[in-house]
Amino acid sequence: MAAEKDEAEVLAEQPKEEPEKHEAKKRDHREIEKSPSPVAKRAKKEDKENGKGDEGVKKEEATRKKEKTDEKSKDVRKDKEREKEKDRHHREKDTRDERKDRDRDRERDRRRSDDKDKDRRRDSRKEDDRKRRDKDRKDDKGRRKSTKKEEEPAAPVKKAPTARDLERLRQYEEEMAKEEDNKDEEGRPVWSLTRAQAETSSRQCPYLDTIDRNRLDFDFEKLCSVSLSHLNVYACMVCGKYFQGRGTSTYAYTHSLDTDHRIFLNLQTLKFYCLPDMYEVIDPSLEDIKYVLKPTFTDKLINALDGWQRPARAYDNTTYFPGVVGLNNIKANDYENVILHALSHVTPLRNYFLKEENYSQIKRPPGDKLALLSQRFGELVRKLWNTKAFKAHVSPHEMLQAIVVTSQKRFQFTKQGDAADFMSFFLNTLHLSLNGTQKNSSSIIYKTFRGKMRQYTRKVLPVDASSEMIANVTNSDEYNETAKETPFLFLSLDLPPPPLYVDAVLQNIIPQVPLQQLLAKFNGATEKEYKTYKDNFIKRFEILELPNYLIIVYQRFKKNQFFVEKNPTIVNFPISNIDLYDALADEAKPKHKYTTYDLVANIVHDGKPSEGRNRVQIHHKGTGKWFEMEDLHVKDILPQMITLAESYIQIWKLNRTKTREERMGEDENSDEDDIKADLIAALRQQQQVSGPQLPEVKTESMDTS
């Protein structure tokens, strides 16, 4: 091939010089012919003498054309030879690759056969060992039969394996495990998604010291901070942010490469992973993080919560009592926080939602959003009563989001609302989310708060009614009194209207009313007129069945023709031992052995109706103290200060330890009037120095008996 190539190159290079000379000579001839100079004449003469005329030039052109065609044919031939050479190289390369593949397959088959031979030899060794042991056992039996030196033959003593034998056995098992793992690994790529996502565990992770527990906060909604997706969300244990996935092309994997944050927690499976190394981290020091994310309560712990007397210590070195922690006010959700706090201290309701298995299996129709409410409330109750928290406050963000969804944006945390309206909605919706029906035993809500009353209603004649109309309706059933039994979740008490004028000292007198006077509404004899857009009715009420926990709402807000006004009347009530015996119907009194209630929670509204703030006062059963919580602020208060505030909603617990007769002789609040008088005097003296005087409060109406 090299010789042919050189010869072709020589043939291709030879005709290249003559055409150039010929072209130059031809160009010279043309110039000479055009110019009539004597030089041109002399050149023509020389050409004639040499025998080169026009015919010679034509012959030269013909030869030149022929040489060009020959050159083209040689070039075409040369290209064909190059293509043949390339095809030959490709064929050789294909055969070489096939040979390599064949050799690789042959090598893999050989290794597999070797592995089978190893397994066969191992099985044969095991079989030989078993036969040898059987033989030794038979020899020992024969030896024991032949020797009759002792009356009872001694049991064969097994030789304990030495440390060397145990080490050999361990090494052998490790080698066999490695051989099993390395099977079929030849020929596979070094990196693949299947191998990268294989869950391998490690108990020796070097990045556990990078976890920052001060940044961890699991109170917010579990969604990715980049894609806003709820699926397969992981929390970074270094910065506390949420990311989706842990594969090679996910946000968590990218975050680990960009920031060198290695430890991530799956918020659904509660498993820790090290990225980008792709192995599961197993370490007992991570159990506290799992418990904060998803607290669990046993029956023993639940029973011990009511008797909890020592404060718990959070990770940030703050102390708190379980259940008495602050709730974050995102913008204007204090009216929701106080209701959630008060309901979380109702013992049956708290114990029910502390165990997730009580309501996690409740089935709702597809697409129903009510199931979200019970799940979020259960999570909030478990976080409020967590005994191993990282901080002494909780953010109800997920609970508020569920309320916005289930109420169809009726109750939002960006706009102030009415606590009583929210409580009514929350209790009824929570009852429905637990698949509650009209029966008292259908849900924990009805079991705890539902009572029954009888309502008497009669229609009132209009003021301008004529004598004929009065004569016609006296015998009709429309104006006769009717009775109807209705259930209730809370009692609504009407406050007397405040005074319109000031006293002689130009000071507003804040009216006061005892609670027993307001409860007279349900004695069956007190009547009240209710107006509608068309007719007027007179109603009276009496209670037929008392609930285990009684909720009382004082009607402080009333809407007139122009705006909503607030009634500042102070209600005087005892903290414990309030008796509802007189509110029961005559036929219901023998059925109720226990009729006295003790205060559990008191919700207070301060300020104007639209701009005011709510706070809740809670009785901690373990220590016997009263705590006041306003958003994140928690402080202990004196029980005598509770009755001085403008109470809005109260939760009372039925005392089933002592009957009404046994509690009538108790004097739990001895000298309460003197204590209140001293407190009021001190407050007045303080306000005289610093600001306006405290309004006059009459202490003689504070009767606790």
Side-chain angles (χ1 to χ4, degrees):
M1 289 296 295
E4 294 176 2
K5 184 176 180 182
D6 296 339
E7 185 177 355
E9 289 178 356
V10 171
L11 293 174
E13 291 174 357
Q14 283 180 357
K16 287 182 181 178
E17 297 180 358
E18 293 181 0
E20 292 177 357
K21 293 179 181 180
H22 185 72
E23 288 292 333
K25 191 179 291 185
K26 184 177 179 181
R27 194 164 47 250
D28 295 340
H29 282 297
R30 289 175 183 171
E31 291 177 356
I32 292 170
E33 288 178 356
K34 288 180 181 179
S35 61
S37 62
V39 178
K41 293 179 180 180
R42 195 182 301 114
K44 285 184 179 182
K45 188 176 181 180
E46 290 178 357
D47 291 339
K48 286 181 180 180
E49 291 177 357
N50 294 332
K52 289 183 178 180
D54 295 335
E55 295 179 359
V57 173
K58 291 180 180 180
K59 290 180 180 180
E60 289 179 359
E61 290 178 355
T63 55
R64 189 167 59 253
K65 289 180 180 179
K66 186 177 181 182
E67 290 174 354
K68 287 183 178 180
T69 55
D70 295 339
E71 289 176 2
K72 290 181 179 179
S73 61
K74 288 179 180 179
D75 294 338
V76 171
R77 196 182 305 111
K78 197 181 297 182
D79 294 338
K80 290 181 179 180
E81 291 176 356
R82 289 197 196 96
E83 291 178 358
K84 289 180 181 179
E85 187 69 18
K86 289 181 181 179
D87 294 338
R88 187 175 63 79
H89 281 299
H90 285 308
R91 286 195 300 273
E92 290 178 357
K93 186 177 180 180
D94 293 340
T95 54
R96 191 162 52 250
D97 293 340
E98 291 175 358
R99 196 182 302 110
K100 286 183 180 179
D101 295 339
R102 190 163 52 253
D103 294 340
R104 191 184 300 109
D105 295 338
R106 193 181 296 109
E107 182 67 18
R108 186 168 60 253
D109 296 338
R110 185 182 63 78
R111 290 182 180 177
R112 288 180 179 176
S113 62
D114 293 342
D115 294 337
K116 291 181 180 179
D117 293 338
K118 287 181 181 178
D119 296 339
R120 197 179 301 108
R121 286 196 296 272
R122 185 175 64 253
D123 296 339
S124 63
R125 284 198 301 270
K126 290 182 179 179
E127 185 67 22
D128 294 339
D129 294 339
R130 188 182 61 78
K131 290 180 179 179
R132 187 166 54 255
R133 287 195 300 271
D134 294 341
K135 185 178 180 181
D136 294 341
R137 195 179 299 110
K138 290 179 181 179
D139 294 341
D140 292 338
K141 289 181 180 179
R143 198 179 299 110
R144 283 196 301 272
K145 289 180 181 179
S146 61
T147 59
K148 298 181 179 179
K149 296 180 180 180
E150 298 178 355
E151 295 181 358
E152 293 182 359
V157 179
K158 293 184 179 180
K159 185 178 179 181
T162 61
R164 187 176 181 181
D165 296 337
L166 295 175
E167 183 65 20
R168 284 182 177 178
L169 181 61
R170 186 185 65 79
Q171 292 179 359
Y172 177 76
E173 291 177 353
E174 289 180 357
E175 290 179 0
M176 295 305 299
K178 288 181 181 179
E179 289 178 0
E180 292 293 334
D181 294 338
N182 293 332
K183 282 184 179 180
D184 298 336
E185 289 292 330
E186 298 295 333
R188 294 180 63 183
V190 177
W191 178 265
S192 64
L193 186 60
T194 305
R195 295 178 63 185
Q197 292 181 345
E199 293 187 3
T200 58
S201 60
S202 174
R203 297 181 181 270
Q204 297 178 354
C205 182
Y207 305 106
L208 292 180
D209 57 344
T210 61
I211 296 176
D212 189 359
R213 286 173 170 79
N214 292 321
R215 290 176 172 264
L216 301 183
D217 189 0
F218 302 117
D219 294 341
F220 292 92
E221 195 171 0
K222 310 301 187 297
L223 52 85
C224 177
S225 59
V226 181
S227 63
L228 302 181
S229 174
H230 293 81
L231 303 177
N232 200 19
V233 180
Y234 288 78
C236 178
M237 296 290 99
V238 182
C239 61
K241 296 181 180 179
Y242 296 165
F243 298 96
Q244 185 181 15
R246 62 181 176 88
T248 56
S249 60
T250 58
Y251 299 111
Y253 189 88
T254 306
H255 177 72
S256 66
L257 294 177
D258 293 343
T259 59
D260 199 23
H261 295 173
R262 299 303 186 97
I263 307 298
F264 290 81
L265 170 62
N266 190 313
L267 300 178
Q268 185 66 27
T269 62
L270 303 183
K271 291 184 178 181
F272 290 87
Y273 295 93
C274 181
L275 300 181
D277 298 338
M278 290 292 181
Y279 63 84
E280 182 182 356
V281 181
I282 300 176
D283 196 276
S285 63
L286 303 175
E287 294 298 327
D288 59 337
I289 300 177
K290 294 182 182 179
Y291 193 84
V292 170
L293 174 59
K294 193 173 183 180
T296 55
F297 291 82
T298 60
D299 294 335
K300 183 178 179 180
L301 180 58
I302 292 174
N303 296 330
L305 289 177
D306 287 335
W308 199 282
Q309 297 181 357
R310 56 182 179 83
R313 186 172 295 275
Y315 183 79
D316 57 358
N317 208 24
T318 58
T319 58
Y320 69 98
F321 287 98
V324 186
V325 295
L327 281 176
N328 188 20
N329 189 355
I330 298 176
K331 188 174 182 181
N333 56 288
D334 57 301
Y335 73 98
E336 297 174 325
N337 289 350
V338 293
I339 297 298
L340 298 175
H341 251 311
L343 293 179
S344 67
H345 281 263
V346 176
T347 303
L349 196 66
R350 179 202 66 188
N351 296 347
Y352 179 84
F353 282 98
L354 284 180
K355 300 189 70 173
E356 189 177 3
E357 56 269 19
N358 291 335
Y359 53 89
S360 60
Q361 303 299 328
I362 294 177
K363 295 182 180 180
R364 297 292 302 170
D368 190 11
K369 301 177 182 179
L370 295 183
L372 188 66
L373 194 66
S374 58
Q375 295 175 4
R376 293 290 183 264
F377 184 65
E379 293 176 1
L380 179 62
V381 172
R382 290 194 295 273
K383 290 178 181 178
L384 288 174
W385 289 90
N386 186 7
T387 59
K388 303 176 183 178
F390 284 175
K391 55 187 183 301
H393 64 272
V394 177
S395 178
H397 188 271
E398 289 185 295
M399 183 72 231
L400 299 179
Q401 291 284 0
I403 292 172
V404 172
V405 173
T406 53
S407 67
Q408 298 180 357
K409 299 183 179 181
R410 177 185 172 189
F411 299 100
Q412 302 184 12
F413 51 86
T414 58
K415 185 180 179 182
Q416 192 65 248
D418 189 7
D421 292 345
F422 170 71
M423 182 190 66
S424 176
F425 157 79
F426 185 74
L427 291 178
N428 287 282
T429 310
L430 192 61
H431 168 73
L432 294 177
S433 67
L434 299 174
N435 287 339
T437 59
Q438 294 297 327
K439 296 182 179 180
N440 288 345
S441 60
S442 59
S443 74
I444 189 65
I445 304 298
Y446 278 11
K447 288 180 183 178
T448 307
F449 299 108
R450 199 183 197 194
K452 186 184 291 184
M453 68 168 64
R454 182 182 290 123
Q455 174 181 319
Y456 297 94
T457 308
R458 61 185 178 88
K459 192 175 180 181
V460 181
L461 287 171
V463 180
D464 55 350
S466 60
S467 58
E468 296 180 357
M469 182 178 180
I470 295 174
N472 293 332
V473 301
T474 50
N475 298 325
S476 64
D477 297 336
E478 183 180 0
Y479 290 88
N480 293 337
E481 188 176 59
T482 59
K484 180 182 179 183
E485 295 183 1
T486 58
F488 66 90
L489 289 178
F490 58 89
L491 295 180
S492 178
L493 301 182
D494 302 320
L495 297 176
L500 300 177
Y501 304 100
V502 296
D503 60 355
V505 195
L506 300 179
Q507 194 176 27
N508 285 324
I509 299 177
I510 299 178
Q512 301 183 45
V513 58
L515 179 58
Q516 290 293 344
Q517 180 178 340
L518 300 180
L519 289 175
K521 172 183 177 180
F522 299 96
N523 60 6
T526 304
E527 295 181 342
K528 185 180 178 181
E529 184 177 359
Y530 292 86
K531 297 181 179 180
T532 62
Y533 72 97
K534 185 178 180 181
D535 300 320
N536 296 343
F537 297 91
I538 291 179
K539 297 181 180 180
R540 55 190 180 94
F541 308 91
E542 58 183 2
I543 298 177
L544 299 177
E545 183 178 345
L546 292 174
N548 293 328
Y549 282 81
L550 177 65
I551 302 177
I552 295 178
V553 178
Y554 301 104
Q555 298 296 330
R556 291 196 174 273
F557 303 101
K558 184 179 180 181
K559 187 175 182 180
N560 54 26
Q561 296 180 354
F562 305 99
F563 54 88
V564 177
E565 58 182 352
K566 179 182 177 182
N567 192 333
T569 302
I570 294 178
V571 180
N572 297 323
F573 55 88
I575 296 177
S576 63
N577 199 10
I578 178 177
D579 193 4
L580 268 72
Y581 182 80
D582 295 335
L584 290 171
D586 294 336
E587 66 270 19
K589 290 180 180 179
K591 300 179 183 178
H592 288 75
K593 184 179 180 180
Y594 306 100
T595 59
T596 58
Y597 284 85
D598 299 329
L599 185 63
V600 174
N602 182 44
I603 297 175
V604 180
H605 184 275
D606 300 321
K608 299 180 180 179
S610 59
E611 301 176 359
R613 299 186 63 83
N614 297 273
R615 52 192 171 96
V616 59
Q617 296 163 344
I618 298 292
H619 178 250
H620 190 256
K621 191 174 181 181
T623 59
K625 296 181 179 180
W626 282 86
F627 292 90
E628 183 176 272
M629 287 169 282
E630 185 176 0
D631 298 335
L632 297 178
H633 304 284
V634 180
K635 62 179 180 180
D636 54 342
I637 60 173
L638 295 173
Q640 292 81 8
M641 299 294 295
I642 298 175
T643 57
L644 300 179
E646 299 176 1
S647 301
Y648 186 27
I649 302 173
Q650 292 178 340
I651 299 180
W652 299 79
K653 178 185 177 182
L654 181 64
N655 192 317
R656 293 185 176 273
T657 58
K658 294 183 179 180
T659 61
R660 174 175 176 268
E661 291 78 9
E662 294 174 350
R663 300 195 68 181
M664 284 179 65
E666 293 182 358
D667 190 13
E668 296 182 1
N669 297 322
S670 61
D671 299 331
E672 185 177 0
D673 295 341
D674 298 335
I675 296 174
K676 290 181 181 179
D678 295 339
L679 288 172
I680 294 170
L683 290 173
R684 281 179 180 165
Q685 185 178 2
Q686 182 180 0
Q687 288 196 359
Q688 284 177 0
V689 177
S690 59
Q693 295 183 357
L694 187 72
E696 181 182 355
V697 180
K698 299 179 182 179
T699 59
E700 59 271 10
S701 61
M702 297 181 182
D703 187 10
T704 60
S705 60

